[in-house]
Amino acid sequence: MVLKKTWVGLVSLAAIVAVGCASGASTVSEESLGLRKTNLYTEKAETAGEATTYSKAAAGSSKTFARAFENAPPMIPHDIEGMLPIKIGNNACTGCHMPEVAPSMKATPIPASHFASFRPTTAMGKDGRITKEGKGVDNTSDFKTVAHKLDKLSGARFNCSQCHAPQSTQAPLVGNTFTPDFSANGAKSSNLIDTINEGVQ
Ligand code: HEC
Ligand code: HEC
């Protein structure tokens, strides 16, 4: 906290000095400099801002969010109280989201991409060159991703909260003017496993 304040102070000071030099008069107010809309000497509740809050709607009674962009990991719309941290022997998320149980829970099933490994089979050829999927590859950006289907959830997808997060109910601090281009169902569902090589020649 102390370090943070010092930095805010230094940055604002630099800005005031810079503006002061350029225009000959210091016309920029402290309140307009940063995300905090109060001057640097105020530390009361109005500086602290709103506490971040999350949906209290129980799983099954929340409304899903539109995806941020095509194949973005969807935000969690429901309360996750008591579900975290995910542990090796205790993953509540899979209890409702595994494809075999999801329809009966009315939950979105975990997609096919989470039951695959996208890591290429890598080996050293006889000539000492690295091969991926049996072929020598000079430039990995030319390499088409191969989805190796797994018969279980990929270990890389076990820790759901690494990629899926609840959405804060607080008004955004900074507006977002990005408008995503979605394919037909892209705002509501994902298809990464089918489109992973899009744009790769
Ligand atoms: C009790 C069952 C249950 C549990 C446990 C649960 N979910 Fe859900 N989840 C749902 C349901 C049902 C929905 C659909 C929205 C609704 O009806 O609330 C959903 C929606 C979602 C969505 C949005 C999907 C979309 O299509 O936009 C994500 C992401 C999600 N859950 C992730 C998680 C994660 C991560 C966990 C573990 C921390 C978890 N869920 C635990 C039942 C559950
Ligand atoms: C490494 C990041 C990552 C992890 C870990 C991860 N996901 Fe995802 N998830 C994604 C991304 C990215 C998408 C959207 C693209 C895709 O894969 O289809 C997605 C999509 C989803 C969807 C939407 C499916 C649909 O048809 O629209 C659900 C539900 C979901 N994940 C649940 C989970 C659950 C439950 C876990 C934990 C068991 C989990 N995910 C772990 C990144 C992740």
Coordinates of all heavy atoms in Angstrom, one line a residue, residues 57-65 67 73-80 83-84 86 91-97 105-108 160-161 164-165 188-189, ligand 1:
A57 N -26.2 -15.3 -7.4 CA -27.2 -16.3 -7.9 C -26.5 -17.7 -7.9 O -25.4 -17.9 -8.4 CB -27.5 -15.9 -9.4
A58 N -27.3 -18.6 -7.4 CA -26.8 -20.0 -7.3 C -26.7 -20.6 -8.7 O -27.5 -20.2 -9.6 CB -27.7 -20.8 -6.4
A59 N -25.7 -21.5 -8.8 CA -25.6 -22.2 -10.1 C -27.0 -22.8 -10.4 O -27.6 -23.5 -9.6 CB -24.6 -23.3 -10.0
G60 N -27.5 -22.6 -11.6 CA -28.8 -23.1 -12.0 C -29.8 -21.9 -12.1 O -30.8 -22.1 -12.7
S61 N -29.5 -20.8 -11.4 CA -30.4 -19.7 -11.5 C -29.8 -18.4 -12.0 O -30.3 -17.3 -11.9 CB -31.0 -19.4 -10.1 OG -30.0 -19.0 -9.2
S62 N -28.6 -18.5 -12.6 CA -27.9 -17.3 -13.1 C -28.1 -17.3 -14.6 O -28.5 -18.2 -15.2 CB -26.4 -17.4 -12.7 OG -25.7 -18.4 -13.5
K63 N -27.7 -16.1 -15.2 CA -27.9 -15.9 -16.6 C -26.5 -15.8 -17.2 O -25.7 -15.0 -16.7 CB -28.6 -14.6 -16.8 CG -29.5 -14.6 -18.1 CD -30.3 -13.3 -18.2 CE -30.5 -13.0 -19.7 NZ -29.3 -12.5 -20.4
T64 N -26.2 -16.6 -18.2 CA -24.8 -16.6 -18.8 C -24.5 -15.3 -19.5 O -25.4 -14.6 -19.9 CB -24.6 -17.8 -19.8 OG1 -25.6 -17.6 -20.8 CG2 -24.8 -19.1 -19.2
F65 N -23.2 -14.9 -19.5 CA -22.8 -13.7 -20.2 C -22.5 -14.0 -21.7 O -22.0 -15.1 -22.0 CB -21.5 -13.2 -19.5 CG -21.7 -12.8 -18.1 CD1 -21.3 -13.6 -17.1 CD2 -22.3 -11.6 -17.7 CE1 -21.4 -13.3 -15.7 CE2 -22.5 -11.2 -16.4 CZ -22.0 -12.1 -15.4
R67 N -20.0 -14.0 -24.7 CA -18.6 -14.1 -24.7 C -17.9 -12.8 -25.0 O -18.5 -12.0 -25.8 CB -18.1 -15.2 -25.7 CG -19.0 -16.5 -25.5 CD -18.5 -17.3 -24.3 NE -19.5 -18.2 -23.8 CZ -19.6 -19.5 -24.1 NH1 -18.7 -20.1 -24.9 NH2 -20.5 -20.3 -23.6
P73 N -12.8 -17.8 -23.1 CA -13.4 -18.6 -22.1 C -14.5 -17.9 -21.4 O -14.4 -16.8 -21.0 CB -12.2 -18.8 -21.1 CG -11.2 -17.8 -21.5 CD -11.5 -17.3 -22.9
P74 N -15.7 -18.5 -21.3 CA -16.9 -17.8 -20.7 C -16.6 -17.4 -19.3 O -16.0 -18.2 -18.5 CB -18.0 -18.8 -20.9 CG -17.5 -20.1 -21.2 CD -16.1 -19.8 -21.8
M75 N -17.2 -16.3 -18.9 CA -17.1 -15.8 -17.5 C -18.1 -16.7 -16.7 O -19.1 -17.2 -17.2 CB -17.5 -14.4 -17.3 CG -16.7 -13.3 -18.1 SD -15.0 -13.2 -17.8 CE -15.0 -12.6 -16.1
I76 N -17.8 -16.9 -15.4 CA -18.7 -17.7 -14.6 C -19.9 -16.8 -14.1 O -19.6 -15.8 -13.5 CB -18.0 -18.3 -13.3 CG1 -16.7 -19.0 -13.8 CG2 -18.9 -19.2 -12.5 CD1 -15.8 -19.5 -12.6
P77 N -21.1 -17.2 -14.4 CA -22.2 -16.3 -14.1 C -22.8 -16.5 -12.7 O -23.5 -15.7 -12.2 CB -23.3 -16.6 -15.1 CG -23.0 -18.1 -15.5 CD -21.5 -18.3 -15.3
H78 N -22.4 -17.7 -12.1 CA -23.0 -18.0 -10.8 C -22.1 -17.9 -9.6 O -20.9 -17.7 -9.8 CB -23.6 -19.5 -10.9 CG -22.6 -20.5 -11.3 ND1 -21.5 -20.9 -10.5 CD2 -22.4 -21.2 -12.4 CE1 -20.8 -21.8 -11.1 NE2 -21.3 -22.0 -12.3
D79 N -22.7 -18.0 -8.4 CA -21.9 -17.9 -7.2 C -20.9 -19.1 -7.1 O -21.3 -20.2 -7.5 CB -22.9 -18.0 -6.0 CG -22.3 -17.6 -4.7 OD1 -21.1 -17.1 -4.7 OD2 -22.9 -17.7 -3.7
I80 N -19.7 -18.9 -6.7 CA -18.8 -20.0 -6.6 C -18.3 -20.2 -5.1 O -17.3 -20.9 -4.9 CB -17.5 -19.8 -7.5 CG1 -16.9 -18.5 -7.3 CG2 -17.9 -20.1 -9.0 CD1 -15.4 -18.4 -7.8
M83 N -16.6 -23.4 -3.7 CA -16.1 -24.3 -4.7 C -14.6 -24.1 -4.9 O -14.0 -25.0 -5.6 CB -16.8 -23.9 -6.0 CG -18.3 -24.2 -6.0 SD -19.0 -23.8 -7.6 CE -20.8 -23.8 -7.2
L84 N -14.0 -23.1 -4.4 CA -12.6 -22.9 -4.6 C -11.9 -22.9 -3.2 O -12.5 -22.6 -2.2 CB -12.3 -21.5 -5.2 CG -12.9 -21.3 -6.6 CD1 -12.6 -19.9 -7.1 CD2 -12.5 -22.3 -7.6
I86 N -9.9 -25.3 -6.1 CA -10.0 -26.6 -6.7 C -8.8 -27.4 -6.3 O -7.7 -27.0 -6.3 CB -10.0 -26.4 -8.3 CG1 -11.3 -25.7 -8.7 CG2 -9.8 -27.8 -9.0 CD1 -11.3 -25.2 -10.1
N91 N -13.0 -31.3 -7.1 CA -13.3 -30.3 -8.1 C -14.8 -30.2 -8.3 O -15.4 -31.0 -9.1 CB -12.5 -30.6 -9.4 CG -12.7 -29.6 -10.5 OD1 -13.5 -28.7 -10.4 ND2 -11.8 -29.6 -11.5
A92 N -15.4 -29.3 -7.7 CA -16.9 -29.1 -7.7 C -17.4 -28.8 -9.2 O -18.4 -29.3 -9.6 CB -17.4 -28.0 -6.8
C93 N -16.6 -28.1 -9.9 CA -17.0 -27.7 -11.3 C -17.3 -28.9 -12.2 O -18.2 -28.9 -12.9 CB -15.8 -26.9 -11.9 SG -15.0 -25.7 -10.8
T94 N -16.4 -29.9 -12.1 CA -16.6 -31.1 -12.9 C -17.9 -31.8 -12.5 O -18.6 -32.5 -13.3 CB -15.4 -32.1 -12.8 OG1 -15.2 -32.4 -11.4 CG2 -14.2 -31.5 -13.4
G95 N -18.3 -31.7 -11.2 CA -19.5 -32.4 -10.7 C -20.8 -31.9 -11.5 O -21.8 -32.7 -11.6
C96 N -20.8 -30.7 -12.1 CA -21.9 -30.2 -12.8 C -21.6 -30.1 -14.3 O -22.5 -30.1 -15.1 CB -22.4 -28.9 -12.3 SG -23.2 -29.0 -10.7
H97 N -20.4 -29.8 -14.7 CA -20.1 -29.5 -16.1 C -19.5 -30.6 -16.9 O -19.4 -30.4 -18.1 CB -19.1 -28.3 -16.1 CG -19.7 -27.0 -15.7 ND1 -20.4 -26.2 -16.7 CD2 -19.8 -26.3 -14.6 CE1 -20.9 -25.1 -16.1 NE2 -20.5 -25.1 -14.8
M105 N -28.0 -31.1 -15.2 CA -27.8 -30.0 -14.4 C -28.2 -28.6 -15.1 O -28.0 -27.6 -14.5 CB -26.3 -29.9 -13.9 CG -25.8 -31.1 -13.2 SD -26.7 -31.6 -11.8 CE -26.4 -30.3 -10.7
K106 N -28.5 -28.7 -16.3 CA -28.7 -27.5 -17.2 C -27.5 -26.6 -17.2 O -27.6 -25.4 -17.4 CB -30.0 -26.7 -16.7 CG -31.3 -27.5 -16.8 CD -32.4 -26.6 -17.1 CE -33.7 -27.3 -17.6 NZ -34.1 -28.4 -16.8
A107 N -26.3 -27.2 -17.1 CA -25.1 -26.5 -17.2 C -24.5 -26.7 -18.6 O -24.7 -27.7 -19.3 CB -24.1 -27.0 -16.1
T108 N -23.7 -25.7 -19.0 CA -23.0 -25.8 -20.3 C -21.9 -26.9 -20.2 O -21.1 -26.9 -19.3 CB -22.3 -24.5 -20.7 OG1 -23.1 -23.4 -20.4 CG2 -21.8 -24.5 -22.1
C160 N -10.0 -25.2 -13.5 CA -10.9 -24.3 -14.2 C -10.7 -22.8 -13.9 O -10.8 -22.0 -14.9 CB -12.4 -24.7 -13.9 SG -12.7 -26.4 -13.7
S161 N -10.5 -22.5 -12.7 CA -10.4 -21.1 -12.3 C -9.2 -20.4 -12.8 O -9.0 -19.2 -12.6 CB -10.6 -20.9 -10.8 OG -9.6 -21.7 -10.1
H164 N -11.3 -19.5 -16.2 CA -12.7 -19.0 -16.0 C -12.8 -18.3 -14.7 O -12.4 -18.8 -13.7 CB -13.7 -20.2 -16.1 CG -13.7 -20.9 -17.4 ND1 -14.4 -20.5 -18.5 CD2 -13.0 -22.1 -17.7 CE1 -14.2 -21.3 -19.5 NE2 -13.4 -22.3 -19.1
A165 N -13.3 -17.1 -14.8 CA -13.4 -16.3 -13.6 C -14.8 -15.7 -13.4 O -15.5 -15.5 -14.4 CB -12.4 -15.1 -13.6
K188 N -22.5 -17.2 -27.7 CA -23.1 -18.1 -26.7 C -22.4 -19.4 -26.5 O -22.5 -20.1 -25.5 CB -24.6 -18.4 -27.1 CG -25.5 -17.2 -26.9 CD -26.4 -17.5 -25.7 CE -26.5 -16.3 -24.8 NZ -26.6 -16.6 -23.4
S189 N -21.6 -19.8 -27.5 CA -20.9 -21.1 -27.4 C -19.6 -21.1 -28.1 O -19.3 -20.2 -28.9 CB -21.8 -22.2 -27.9 OG -21.9 -22.2 -29.4
Ligands
HEC1 C1 -24.2 -27.1 -8.9 C2 -23.8 -27.2 -10.3 C3 -22.6 -26.3 -10.8 C4 -21.4 -26.2 -10.2 C5 -20.8 -26.9 -9.0 C6 -20.7 -25.3 -11.1 N1 -21.4 -24.9 -12.1 FE1 -20.9 -23.6 -13.6 N2 -22.8 -23.6 -14.3 C7 -23.8 -24.3 -13.8 C8 -25.1 -24.0 -14.5 C9 -26.4 -24.7 -14.3 C10 -24.7 -23.0 -15.4 C11 -25.7 -22.3 -16.4 C12 -26.1 -20.9 -15.8 C13 -27.1 -21.1 -14.7 O1 -28.1 -21.8 -14.9 O2 -26.8 -20.7 -13.6 C14 -23.3 -22.8 -15.3 C15 -22.6 -21.8 -16.0 C16 -21.2 -21.8 -16.0 C17 -20.4 -21.0 -17.0 C18 -20.9 -20.2 -18.1 C19 -21.1 -21.1 -19.3 C20 -21.6 -20.3 -20.5 O3 -22.2 -21.0 -21.4 O4 -21.5 -19.1 -20.6 C21 -19.1 -21.2 -16.6 C22 -17.9 -20.7 -17.3 C23 -19.1 -22.1 -15.4 N3 -20.4 -22.4 -15.1 C24 -17.9 -22.5 -14.8 C25 -17.9 -23.1 -13.6 C26 -16.7 -23.3 -12.8 C27 -15.3 -22.9 -13.2 C28 -17.1 -24.0 -11.7 C29 -16.3 -24.4 -10.5 C30 -15.6 -23.3 -9.8 C31 -18.6 -24.2 -11.8 N4 -19.0 -23.7 -12.9 C32 -19.3 -24.9 -10.8 C33 -23.8 -25.3 -12.8 C34 -22.7 -25.5 -11.9

